[in-house]
Every structure is written in structure tokens, then in C-alpha cells.
Amino acid sequence: MAFEERKTCEGLLVQPHDEQSEPIPVVEEQSEPIPVADAHCHLDQLCKRGSSAGLYKLDNLGTMQEYHTSLNYIVANYVYPGAWPSSSKRSDLREDPHIYFTFGIHPRLVLSESSNSLVHMFKKLKDMVKSTRTVGVGECGLDTTDGPTDSEFQKQIVYFRKQIQLAVDNNLTIVVHSRGKPDVHHQTLDSLINICPSSQPIHWHCFTGSTNFRLSYKHLSFISTH
């Protein structure tokens, strides 16, 4: 069994206390690529840019040679209703056993759409999350980077909470996007705590808060950050 040398994050060799001895073996060399999964992939955008149809064409991406890894599973996040795959397209994607789905309405999209459009989108979302191999709702959440007015921000909160409840009702993971002013993260957490049961799985994908804020909810074991 072969091992690599221990190094710092800067790539400097870390010697043991005895300068004459060999470096401490800590990392096993892999004879096979390490299997990895992408928990948050915008597959629609990736395929659009790369003219690819599914993971069977994306399973390398150069990682096999450079990082000695193999991309085995992805969770494809569809957050723009205009780009949600049709029923036939979803069937095509399901031919690849490595692909799973989440569907949601991105918080920045909530700001740009009319109330009537959002009602229609959410109605369609309720059907989309029942699609086979769907594992989550989102990404959804709150975002103040576009400088929303108070009424626009309240609209974000309304549709964030609607999507939280939708995830709870369908036993799906909530994929959370929270970006902007510090108060945004408190509002996000407040909505999650008030609606979610203790067993609710949450993937807090986009988080721009402080370390102290993250530590303040470390007791909530059902939340994982990315």
C-alpha cells in the first residue's frame, strides 16, 4: 500500500519530529478514481454551453486525469421555470441513472416576475416536484443583491415559504439560497425554523453570512451548508 507525503495547503512538506525519519504517510494512493457526486449542478446551463445531453457525456470533465476522480452522480437544479425540462426531456434524462432533480423558483426571479406569473409558476412547480427521481425543492430563498424594495422583499419571503412548505409536504430536501445583507440570513433561518419539522433535510447551498452566524445555528443538525 503506497502513501503520499504530508504537506501543508501551500504544498510545503511537513516533516515529523525526527528530521532523519521518513515523512509521515497519511494519504493512500488510489488505484481507481475516487467516486464523487455533485450535489448542486445547473445541468441545463452546462449542457447548453457544452452541447451535451447528459452525464454519460459529462462524467469525465477532465477530472479523471487531473484529479483522479470520477463524477458518479449529480443533482441537477432547475431554478428557472422557462428552462424546466418537458416531460419527454425528463424521460430522456432519466435514461441516465446518475441524474437526480430539484425544481424551484430562484429568489432573484421572484423579483422580476409579476404576481400572476408567479402564481402560474408555483402551480406548475407543484406538479414538477412530483416527477420521478426528484429529490428536492429549490434552490429557493432570499436575495437582496439587486436592492429590492420592502414590498419586493416581502414577495420573496412569501414564495420562499411556499416552497419550504411544498418540500415539507412532499418529503423533499429544501435547497436554500441566501445572499445579501446580514438580516437576510436571519430571515432565511426564521422561515426555515417556523415551517420545518425537526427531521426536515436542508441543503443551504448559497450562504454569504459570517462564521459567527453559522455557529449560532450549529445545533440545527438538519442543516448542511455548501
Side-chain angles (χ1 to χ4, degrees):
M1 183 177 295
F3 293 86
E4 295 179 356
E5 299 168 333
R6 175 182 290 179
K7 297 181 180 180
T8 67
C9 59
E10 291 82 14
L12 302 176
L13 184 63
V14 177
Q15 292 286 359
H17 294 299
D18 181 2
E19 293 286 347
Q20 302 302 316
S21 60
E22 294 294 322
I24 301 172
V26 290
V27 181
E28 181 181 356
E29 285 187 357
Q30 298 290 325
S31 58
E32 298 293 334
I34 300 172
V36 297
D38 188 341
H40 192 98
C41 173
H42 291 286
L43 183 61
D44 52 342
Q45 301 299 313
L46 189 60
C47 290
K48 182 178 180 180
R49 294 175 184 177
S51 299
S52 179
L55 188 60
Y56 67 95
K57 293 183 180 179
L58 300 174
D59 58 358
N60 190 332
L61 296 179
T63 61
M64 191 76 73
Q65 291 78 20
E66 186 171 356
Y67 301 109
H68 209 49
T69 60
S70 175
L71 181 61
N72 284 7
Y73 296 96
I74 64 172
V75 178
N77 284 254
Y78 291 94
V79 299
Y80 301 108
W84 285 342
S86 64
S87 177
S88 60
K89 178 62 175 177
R90 296 196 301 275
S91 295
D92 290 341
L93 289 169
R94 287 191 203 100
E95 292 183 7
D96 189 324
H98 307 88
I99 299 176
Y100 294 82
F101 310 115
T102 74
F103 298 99
I105 304 173
H106 195 280
R108 298 181 74 177
L109 185 66
V110 172
L111 297 178
S112 63
E113 294 292 334
S114 68
S115 296
N116 288 338
S117 293
L118 289 169
V119 169
H120 176 72
M121 290 176 184
F122 187 72
K123 182 178 180 180
K124 184 177 179 181
L125 178 62
K126 290 195 289 186
D127 292 328
M128 294 294 290
V129 299
K130 295 177 181 178
S131 300
T132 302
R133 222 184 289 168
T134 298
V135 295
V137 175
E139 59 189 283
C140 56
L142 304 175
D143 192 316
T144 60
T145 56
D146 292 327
T149 64
D150 289 343
S151 61
E152 288 174 333
F153 185 63
Q154 288 303 313
K155 185 167 68 170
Q156 274 193 351
I157 293 175
V158 167
Y159 275 89
F160 178 37
R161 293 190 172 193
K162 281 178 174 286
Q163 292 178 86
I164 294 173
Q165 190 63 60
L166 184 62
V168 172
D169 292 344
N170 288 274
N171 297 313
L172 296 171
T173 297
I174 303 167
V175 184
V176 177
H177 173 110
S178 177
R179 178 185 291 166
K181 298 178 181 179
D183 285 350
V184 167
H185 310 304
H186 291 283
Q187 292 271 12
T188 300
L189 189 57
D190 182 65
S191 293
L192 293 170
I193 290 175
N194 285 330
I195 299 175
C196 296
S198 59
S199 59
Q200 176 64 41
I202 298 171
H203 178 197
W204 199 317
H205 156 69
C206 182
F207 174 68
T208 59
S210 66
T211 300
N212 286 338
F213 180 82
R214 173 64 183 89
L215 292 175
S216 71
Y217 66 79
K218 65 182 180 180
H219 62 289
L220 299 176
S221 59
F222 58 90
I223 295 179
S224 65
T225 53
H226 174 195

